[in-house]
Amino acid sequence: METNKPNKKVTRVSGGDNTSHQATTTTFVPTAEAKGKANQLRTFAVISWILAIAAQIFAITLLFKPPVNMTWLIILIVVDLIFAIIGAVLWKKSNRLDPASEKDKFKFFMQSQLGMVVAIIAFLPLVIFIFTSKNLDGKQKGIVGSIAVVALVIAGVTGFDFNPPSIEQYTEQTRRVEWLQGSNFVYWTKSGTVYHLYNDCSYINTDRTTEIFEGSVAQARELKNIANLCSRCENRKIKEKNLDEADYQEQIEALDEAVEE
């Protein structure tokens, strides 16, 4: 069945895989370029977190110098929050480029949720010092304490990854697309929440869409954090190619056995 040409601009993301093959991915391995970008992002994230913790330390020192300068204390809390958020955003982007494995649960949690952990480190000591400070009266503690607690919550929520990527997840998604599509090749849009097997899918080829991107499953996740396949495209491909889920399961079992060996 021939697909209709899309009426939108289609942009190829460099490095996409459009070679023809079946579900052959044994275990997802990020490219050298992706790992390099991930390491760079992690370096910048760590620097941002160090600056956030430094701001917290300066804020704590102010609490021991009566009268406490409330203005500078609030400014340092804001600075702490800004750098904590920057670090968290960069860290989560790096994980999409070079995800952790779910096999080691503790390592996976720490790599995936490090932004939240650092948020606690960057704010909880300050919150404790504020509410136990002898140089602040009740009103002052209420003001800066509330600001610090809100900042802690904001930084923690920003740092928490509600859908952390993993090697196993990337592997499963790539295998599925390879089996359906015959290649690791998908389409997505700037505001889309799923990736597609057809660039003329009615969900993306609409009046609201000005540009369609094409590339690999990993690139859709790396660039737009899109983690799910369009169910309409999936069903359409299965019907067009008369695919059998049993065959897919056999391929997956064979690939899993190859990994274990």
Side-chain angles (χ1 to χ4, degrees):
M1 177 178 177
E2 295 292 330
T3 60
N4 297 323
K5 290 185 177 181
N7 299 320
K8 313 298 178 183
K9 175 185 177 183
V10 179
T11 300
R12 173 73 182 277
V13 177
S14 62
D17 175 14
N18 65 346
T19 56
S20 179
H21 53 277
Q22 295 300 311
T24 58
T25 298
T26 51
T27 301
F28 171 79
V29 178
T31 64
E33 181 183 4
K35 288 184 73 69
K37 289 181 179 178
N39 290 336
Q40 186 179 53
L41 288 172
R42 284 171 180 149
T43 299
F44 289 136
V46 170
I47 292 173
S48 293
W49 284 334
I50 290 174
L51 293 174
I53 294 173
Q56 175 188 227
I57 293 173
F58 281 120
I60 291 174
T61 60
L62 290 180
L63 296 173
F64 293 92
K65 298 177 181 179
V68 176
N69 190 319
M70 293 285 287
T71 301
W72 272 108
L73 185 56
I74 293 172
I75 289 175
L76 287 170
I77 292 174
V78 173
V79 171
D80 188 353
L81 177 60
I82 291 173
F83 282 117
I85 289 176
I86 291 174
V89 171
L90 294 176
W91 189 266
K92 287 195 287 188
K93 284 185 177 181
S94 74
N95 286 337
R96 297 205 297 267
L97 290 163
D98 182 21
S101 173
E102 296 178 20
K103 292 181 180 179
D104 187 331
K105 300 298 182 182
F106 178 75
K107 182 179 178 181
F108 177 71
F109 174 82
M110 289 303 297
Q111 180 170 327
S112 300
Q113 310 302 344
L114 189 58
M116 179 191 66
V117 174
V118 173
I120 295 173
I121 295 173
F123 282 101
L124 186 57
L126 176 59
V127 171
I128 294 173
F129 274 104
I130 287 174
F131 285 109
T132 59
S133 175
K134 296 180 180 180
N135 296 321
L136 294 174
D137 59 33
K139 182 178 179 181
Q140 290 175 321
K141 288 181 180 180
I143 294 173
V144 293
S146 298
I147 294 173
V149 169
V150 170
L152 168 59
V153 173
I154 293 174
V157 172
T158 303
F160 186 81
D161 196 333
F162 292 90
N163 185 23
S166 69
I167 290 175
E168 289 76 14
Q169 186 184 68
Y170 277 30
T171 299
E172 179 183 353
Q173 293 168 344
T174 302
R175 287 175 175 178
R176 185 69 178 176
V177 169
E178 287 175 346
W179 178 68
L180 291 165
Q181 188 82 314
S183 63
N184 180 12
F185 203 68
V186 293
Y187 304 91
W188 67 90
T189 62
K190 290 181 179 179
S191 59
T193 57
V194 296
Y195 50 79
H196 304 261
L197 302 177
Y198 298 90
N199 57 19
D200 66 344
C201 177
S202 58
Y203 283 148
I204 57 174
N205 200 9
T206 66
D207 293 337
R208 295 178 298 174
T209 303
T210 58
E211 186 175 15
I212 297 173
F213 297 90
E214 58 183 22
S216 67
V217 171
Q219 287 172 322
R221 187 67 183 268
E222 293 164 7
L223 299 175
K224 296 301 298 180
N225 199 22
I226 299 175
N228 297 308
L229 171 63
C230 169
S231 58
R232 179 176 294 181
C233 287
E234 183 177 25
N235 293 331
R236 175 180 167 185
K237 183 66 72 172
I238 290 174
K239 290 179 181 179
E240 283 186 4
K241 299 180 71 173
N242 194 27
L243 297 172
D244 188 346
E245 287 287 348
D247 292 337
Y248 174 67
Q249 293 303 322
E250 289 180 3
Q251 288 188 39
I252 297 306
E253 290 174 4
L255 290 171
D256 288 339
E257 290 177 0
V259 172
E260 292 176 359
E261 293 176 359

